[in-house]
């Protein structure tokens, strides 16, 4: 029962922070300091993959019609635009896919620590504030995803590479990249959601294959916990995505910048003080 409660909390944290530009990694490393699953390391690694799958399925469900090129409710032109959208998403996914495959293990080994996470939280928090201040009262050049050029989606994809550094936030990096090239906030957020589909499905698939090749087994109770975490992450992600899209209709991203800075300071102080006490 206690493990189930912990799984629910972790699923909630993942569902909220995966889509808001505030870094799921930054939140999870703090939460996991206080909520530790008393289960095998192999299970915990699998659990982190499964709750991400729950989060990405929320995007597929919410935007299923928009993402479905075979919908009978669409005209031929709309179907072609949907295919073009997928082509843009795949092109934008290439930089992170290539760099991730080549350097994922090295990045995790060298940069997966609280101090790097705290630094990236603060740096990108400042960037959100500066960019929004600079773009104040400036009309965006791109108000529809269909108007994103190949050059633009490659730039956004290049920013997604930055998210390989823990604490950056995949959504945060790509939204910043999109804002810098002049997209509307709604375009930046939606394209970020769509970019997550191949990237997160691909990363999850590779981790699951690795898990199975290592021959790690999962008990019946653990299957229940995986499904519970996935379901919670999915449900909370639905609300988080809809909240963000509604929020940015009348507000900018600065509040997320201030939040990131505050969280970065908290992470820095907590682990800094913990390190001193342990020394």
């Amino acid at each position: 029962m206690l493990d189930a409660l912990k799984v629910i909390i972790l699923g909630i944290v993942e569902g909220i922070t995966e889509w808001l530009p505030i870094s799921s990694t930054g939140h999870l490393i703090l939460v996991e300091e206080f909520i530790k699953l008393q289960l095998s390391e192999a299970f915990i690694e699998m659990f982190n993959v499964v709750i991400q799958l729950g989060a990405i399925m929320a995007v597929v469900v919410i935007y299923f019609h928009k993402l479905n090129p075979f919908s009978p409710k669409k005209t031929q032109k709309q179907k072609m635009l949907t295919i073009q959208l997928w082509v843009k998403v795949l092109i934008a996914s290439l930089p992170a896919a290539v760099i991730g495959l080549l350097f994922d293990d090295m990045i995790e080994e060298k940069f997966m620590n609280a101090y790097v996470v705290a630094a990236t939280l603060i740096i990108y928090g400042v960037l959100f504030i500066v960019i929004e201040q600079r773009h104040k009262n400036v009309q965006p050049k791109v108000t529809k995803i269909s108007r994103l050029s190949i050059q633009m989606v490659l730039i956004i994809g290049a920013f997604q590479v930055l998210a390989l550094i823990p604490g950056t936030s995949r959504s945060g990096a790509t939204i910043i990249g999109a804002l810098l090239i002049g997209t509307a906030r709604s375009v930046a957020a939606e394209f970020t959601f769509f970019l997550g589909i191949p990237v997160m499905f691909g990363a999850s698939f590779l981790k699951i294959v690795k898990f199975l090749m290592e021959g790690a087994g999962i008990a019946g109770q653990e299957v229940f916990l995986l499904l519970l975490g996935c379901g919670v992450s999915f449900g909370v992600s639905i609300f988080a995505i809809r909240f963000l899209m509604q929020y940015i209709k009348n507000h900018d991203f600065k509040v997320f910048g201030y939040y990131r800075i505050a969280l970065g300071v908290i992470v820095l102080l907590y682990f800094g003080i913990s390190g001193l006490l342990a020394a």
Side-chain angles (χ1 to χ4, degrees):
M1 180 61 77
L2 184 57
D3 279 333
L5 181 60
K6 291 177 180 178
V7 161
I8 289 171
I9 293 171
L10 291 169
I12 291 171
V13 172
E14 169 65 23
I16 293 172
T17 60
E18 186 63 52
W19 304 114
L20 303 186
I22 53 179
S23 173
S24 58
T25 305
H27 287 79
L28 286 171
I29 67 165
L30 269 181
V31 172
E32 287 168 357
E33 278 293 300
F34 304 98
I35 300 176
K36 295 186 183 293
L37 291 172
Q38 302 301 316
L39 296 161
S40 68
E41 187 176 330
F43 169 82
I44 292 172
E45 188 173 342
M46 175 61 77
F47 175 77
N48 290 333
V49 170
V50 168
I51 58 175
Q52 281 191 328
L53 283 175
I56 197 62
M57 284 304 299
V59 174
V60 175
V61 169
I62 291 174
Y63 292 100
F64 184 77
H65 177 70
K66 189 167 188 173
L67 293 169
N68 181 12
F70 309 109
S71 173
K73 296 180 181 179
K74 288 183 175 179
T75 64
Q76 194 60 35
K77 181 181 178 181
Q78 289 172 326
K79 290 178 181 179
M80 287 303 300
L81 287 173
T82 305
I83 292 171
Q84 287 177 17
L85 168 61
W86 275 110
V87 170
K88 290 174 181 179
V89 167
L90 293 173
I91 289 172
S93 300
L94 286 175
V98 172
I99 301 299
L101 283 171
L102 292 174
F103 300 106
D104 184 54
D105 290 339
M106 186 200 76
I107 290 171
E108 191 164 334
E109 180 185 346
K110 301 290 185 184
F111 297 105
M112 181 56 84
N113 64 72
Y115 300 106
V116 170
V117 170
T120 51
L121 279 167
I122 293 168
I123 290 167
Y124 286 90
V126 171
L127 280 174
F128 266 117
I129 295 167
V130 170
I131 290 168
E132 284 288 17
Q133 194 62 36
R134 198 180 86 175
H135 286 74
K136 191 176 181 180
N137 300 321
V138 175
Q139 291 299 314
K141 294 183 291 185
V142 180
T143 55
K144 292 181 180 179
I145 289 180
S146 59
R147 294 180 182 171
L148 287 171
S149 66
I150 298 301
Q151 182 183 8
M152 287 177 170
V153 299
L154 278 172
I155 291 171
I156 296 171
F159 271 85
Q160 185 168 235
V161 173
L162 300 173
L164 293 171
I165 305 298
T168 299
S169 167
R170 191 193 60 79
S171 59
T174 51
I175 286 172
I176 283 175
L179 292 176
L180 282 173
I181 60 175
T183 72
R185 296 185 189 96
S186 59
V187 172
E190 274 198 358
F191 195 68
T192 290
F193 298 155
F194 302 157
L195 263 186
I197 296 174
V199 170
M200 291 170 69
F201 268 123
S204 298
F205 175 76
L206 290 174
K207 287 183 180 179
I208 289 171
V209 168
K210 180 182 176 183
F211 179 84
L212 293 174
M213 288 179 67
E214 290 174 352
I218 299 179
Q221 181 193 2
E222 292 177 335
V223 172
F224 166 73
L225 293 175
L226 288 173
L227 292 174
L228 178 62
C230 182
V232 171
S233 176
F234 170 80
V236 174
S237 290
I238 294 280
F239 286 102
I241 291 167
R242 287 177 173 164
F243 163 78
L244 182 62
M245 294 309 296
Q246 187 63 37
Y247 179 84
I248 60 177
K249 285 180 180 179
N250 302 307
H251 304 86
D252 59 27
F253 285 104
K254 279 193 287 189
V255 66
F256 299 110
Y258 292 121
Y259 180 86
R260 287 179 65 102
I261 293 169
L263 180 64
V265 171
I266 291 169
V267 170
L268 195 60
L269 289 175
Y270 176 80
F271 285 96
I273 293 170
S274 297
L276 288 173
L277 292 175

